[in-house]
Amino acid sequence: MTRTAQSAEATETTDTAVAAKLSTLDRFLPVWIGVAMAAGLLLGRFVPGLNTVLNSLHVTSGVSLPIFVGLLVMMYPVLAKVRYDRLDTVTGDKRLLVSSLVINWLVGPMVMFALAWTFLPDLPEYRTGLIIVGLARCIAMVIIWNDLACGDREAAAVLVALNSVFQVLAFAGLGWFYLNVLPGWLGLDTTGLAVSAWQIAQSVLIFLGIPLVAGYLSRRLGERSKGRAWYEQRFLPKVGPFTLYGLLFTIVVLFALQGEAITSQPLDVVRIALPLLVYFAVMWAGSFALGKGIGLSYERATTLSFTAAGNNFELAIAVAIATFGVTSGQALAGVVGPLIEVPVLVALVYVCLAARRWFTPSPRQSQTRT
């Protein structure tokens, strides 16, 4: 048997063993996500006043309290699992860091701009909304998709932090360039975008900063008081399931908030969904292939691909509502983002796991993840 065949067989055996240990919640995750999306849409459509109540609950202006709670519950267990003492192995990987920055801040916005103008030349509001989605790089749910696909947790933490810094520094400037300057150069319609650096920084600090600090302090204090063995073998298994509970709760709330808008304009949703489907496929596949091509391990190629494909829909929706209004086409385009992103990236988790056999197994890949 060749070494490649042996590696493939070993990977398949490991995948089977891991699959056998999955809980019912994990094993049928796509089903639960589909149920959560449907439940949210139905609640938003048919429960009188629910949308108003959910919209009235805010951490601060533009930041929904229910979504923040769901994201905190969802992200905390994963960030508590991160080995923060290993982050230096990621920051020294120049191939990974440079590739991520180029894909997220040069390629991603450019791809979304091209797709928005190609698919929606006659619908300027939806087109603008999609461009805003393309500018908002993912800093939240990508951590979950990466973990489900057995990506590198430490690399995900570093890339998400890097995206957060660039989001604060570059979002407003890129919005001005892609909505005003570039269309002007090309002889296309231009659109203004009013968004402050503080509004972006606030979103980053709330949605990422709080769960990141909580995860770091949990590991630091837990290991110091009880030891690493207790922390990883006793504590983490207890909090781990809350990731998926938080994910399902967030999906229900998100779709309940916009259930009426989505279900009342199905043809518009389809028009917006088409470029999004192409975008997620192109960004994920291109980044995964690049990771393989430049010699990254499976774990880091996976992290690179999901951080490239995901978007910060919370920020995109908040910016669209603040600039154009809650009933605007730009806001609807932002809402359709997660409607398409959630099921597509869940499907790509399984594609990623199936593609693991193309990589030489690393020592960490063969370990059972907590």
Side-chain angles (χ1 to χ4, degrees):
M1 182 180 294
T2 65
R3 180 176 299 179
T4 302
Q6 289 174 336
S7 297
E9 183 177 345
T11 301
E12 185 174 355
T13 301
T14 302
D15 291 349
T16 302
V18 171
K21 296 178 181 179
L22 292 176
S23 66
T24 301
L25 182 63
D26 291 329
R27 197 175 300 119
F28 296 101
L29 179 61
V31 175
W32 309 138
I33 287 178
V35 170
M37 292 171 64
L41 290 172
L42 291 173
L43 287 171
R45 177 71 177 178
F46 297 110
V47 176
L50 178 62
N51 184 283
T52 302
V53 171
L54 291 175
N55 272 317
S56 68
L57 302 174
H58 290 94
V59 177
T60 184
S61 178
V63 178
S64 166
L65 176 60
I67 290 179
F68 164 69
V69 171
L71 289 175
L72 177 60
V73 174
M74 177 183 76
M75 293 171 64
Y76 165 71
V78 177
L79 291 171
K81 294 175 183 178
V82 171
R83 289 284 300 273
Y84 293 93
D85 56 346
R86 290 179 177 167
L87 294 185
D88 59 336
T89 65
V90 180
T91 56
D93 191 340
K94 298 298 187 287
R95 294 172 304 171
L96 176 66
L97 298 182
V98 172
S99 297
S100 179
L101 287 175
V102 170
I103 291 170
N104 275 288
W105 297 102
L106 291 179
V107 178
M110 193 177 301
V111 169
M112 187 66 90
F113 176 87
L115 290 173
W117 274 97
T118 299
F119 282 87
L120 303 170
D122 57 329
L123 297 171
E125 289 190 358
Y126 297 154
R127 184 177 65 236
T128 299
L130 282 187
I131 293 172
I132 294 173
V133 170
L135 298 176
R137 312 313 299 167
C138 195
I139 62 170
M141 277 195 175
V142 65
I143 293 174
I144 307 305
W145 312 134
N146 177 74
D147 206 58
L148 290 172
C150 299
D152 189 315
R153 289 179 184 139
E154 290 70 43
V158 169
L159 295 187
V160 162
L162 196 62
N163 273 345
S164 300
V165 172
F166 270 79
Q167 201 153 92
V168 174
L169 297 176
F171 185 93
L174 287 173
W176 171 73
F177 177 76
Y178 279 103
L179 293 175
N180 195 310
V181 176
L182 184 57
W185 288 350
L186 300 174
L188 305 172
D189 295 336
T190 60
T191 305
L193 182 64
V195 56
S196 68
W198 168 240
Q199 182 181 0
I200 301 165
Q202 179 178 259
S203 173
V204 170
L205 290 171
I206 291 174
F207 287 127
L208 176 64
I210 293 175
L212 182 60
V213 170
Y216 172 79
L217 291 177
S218 290
R219 180 171 281 278
R220 184 71 178 249
L221 299 177
E223 289 188 355
R224 180 180 296 176
S225 61
K226 296 283 190 176
R228 177 163 292 179
W230 173 87
Y231 183 82
E232 295 191 343
Q233 297 171 19
R234 300 285 296 277
F235 177 73
L236 290 181
K238 290 182 179 179
V239 301
F242 284 93
T243 289
L244 298 183
Y245 302 150
L247 172 62
L248 296 177
F249 173 80
T250 303
I251 291 171
V252 171
V253 171
L254 183 65
F255 287 96
L257 278 166
Q258 300 293 338
E260 184 172 355
I262 292 173
T263 55
S264 63
Q265 303 177 66
L267 294 180
D268 288 351
V269 169
V270 172
R271 288 286 306 271
I272 298 168
L274 290 176
L276 283 169
L277 284 170
V278 176
Y279 173 82
F280 292 132
V282 168
M283 292 298 293
W284 183 90
S287 302
F288 193 74
L290 175 64
K292 170 69 173 173
I294 63 177
L296 296 181
S297 65
Y298 165 80
E299 293 89 348
R300 291 193 175 176
T302 294
T303 302
L304 179 66
S305 63
F306 279 107
T307 51
N311 291 89
N312 184 357
F313 58 82
E314 304 94 345
L315 175 61
I317 294 171
V319 169
I321 290 175
T323 305
F324 303 103
V326 69
T327 60
S328 65
Q330 291 88 342
L332 178 61
V335 170
V336 175
L339 175 70
I340 305 303
E341 178 176 330
V342 170
V344 169
L345 293 192
V346 168
L348 289 175
V349 166
Y350 291 92
V351 174
C352 225
L353 291 171
R356 182 161 46 173
R357 68 189 69 244
W358 299 339
F359 292 77
T360 301
S362 66
R364 291 186 63 197
Q365 185 176 322
S366 59
Q367 296 174 355
T368 301
R369 296 169 67 89
T370 302

